[in-house]
Amino acid sequence: MLFLIALVIAVSFSLLCAPVLRKKPLPFYIAAAVLSAAVVILAQYRIENELVQKYILALFSKGAVATAFWCVVMFAGALPQKSALRKRLIPSRGELSIFSALLTLSHIVTYAVIYIKRLLNPDFDPQTDFIVTCAVVILLMCIMIPLTIMSFKKVRSRMKPKTWKNIQRAAYLFFALIYVHVLVLYVPRAIRGTDGYLLTVMTYTAVWTLYLVMRLRKYFTERRKSSNTAAVNTFSILGFTVPVIAVFFISGGIPKQGDIPVEAPATAAVTSATGVTSSSVTTVLQTTTTGTTNAETTNVTTTGTTATTASATDTEEQPQTVAETTAVQTSEATTTIPETTTTTETTMTTAEETEPPAPRIYNDGTFTGKAYGYDGYIYVTITVENDMITSVSSTCEEEDISYWLSCREKVISQIIDLQQTEVDAVSGATYSSNAIMKAVAAAMEAAEK
């Protein structure tokens, strides 16, 4: 969705401002540099408004706008020679390239900060996609910087036209690496079934495949002057359709991948998912002898465990305990019975004589929930058994996953140990911590009967 919005912005801006950009490029360069600096600064703070964070700021920080402008630059060269769009865009193509490069800085610097934080986090384990992404980005920078410098008119005028043109051919590799960069980042998320990423991958694939087909078609029709129009058209259709379908099945045909759940420790089963419970044990021991006998009723209130109280007698019988019952007030009673009574009676209050246990309020099973964290959604999957959370697993869509990594295990362990969805957040990862709690709370709501 972001890329589609960015394409509309880039195409509209290029068509409307291309002539002005070519004549007076400096104000545009300054505006792009200031905008990039502002995005980098704002990206270091948490914007509470989700619309601003996910769509407005993300358009620049995630590189969608910069990539869209690069698309305008690359398509300008793929358009037919006599095309009106080509005639409007080609004269300002160099300035558009510089403008695009300046906008790209907001994405590069923002994610350079994020990647450095990840590498400094001792809990971060670099995966293959992270390593490949870093390698591709470094190569992109090595190509973009020299080509951008050579796009300035003063630099270009001092170079031989043939040399300049040969060096500029590296732009084809640059455009291809942008697509590789997108695939490495988004295909794994599309495979996991994360909302929106399959559409994103397909949009980028359609745009880059269309560019490739247009380039090849232009080569055959204008340079090779092929007369077999039907063959060229068939090749173009197949050249566009086959890659798009292939990427679609690759990105959407593999089931979701889960996260390693944090299992509940044995001590977590003491309390219920509804909070701390109290249980009472009432033991009534009456002994009848010659004369008067004191009957004692003792109440013991405990938290989460059953406590029993017994009185020792001169007999060889062991004292008896009872199951959990509801708390009642402590009372003392004195009973007088005839002296002729020599029997011993033990009266006990049993669980059957008290109120029945409260009905269960949660269904057993597996339930999911999500909440927005620092800069993306955090998902959890919980397992509920007998009104208790027995395990929690979590996955993260945040761009900067270092916050999530630093708080995940501690927050989940607290939730399971305390059987509560509101626990202590981890310092320095408050937003991610709160998102895990909110996601678990949402999953618990889904589990309610």
Side-chain angles (χ1 to χ4, degrees), residues 32 54 58 71 154 157 190 219 234 245 262 269 301 305 323 327 333 335 339 428:
K54 286 187 65 178
C71 288
K154 290 185 177 180
S157 62
Y219 173 79
T234 302
I245 293 176
V262 179
T301 303
T305 58
T335 306
E339 296 181 357

Side-chain angles (χ1 to χ4, degrees), residues 310-389:
S311 298
T313 65
D314 294 334
T315 64
E316 295 180 356
E317 295 179 358
Q318 297 295 325
Q320 300 185 39
T321 61
V322 293
E324 287 190 3
T325 61
T326 56
V328 296
Q329 296 181 347
T330 304
S331 62
E332 293 184 356
T334 302
T335 306
T336 302
I337 61 174
E339 296 181 357
T340 56
T341 304
T342 58
T343 60
T344 301
E345 296 179 355
T346 303
T347 306
M348 306 178 66
T349 303
T350 62
E352 289 77 11
E353 296 175 348
T354 63
E355 295 181 3
R360 289 168 56 186
I361 60 176
Y362 295 104
N363 293 304
D364 289 347
T366 302
F367 305 91
T368 60
K370 71 174 182 177
Y372 196 77
Y374 180 74
D375 58 6
Y377 278 102
I378 290 176
Y379 298 84
V380 300
T381 299
I382 68 171
T383 301
V384 178
E385 294 180 8
N386 300 323
D387 275 359
M388 298 180 60
I389 303 173

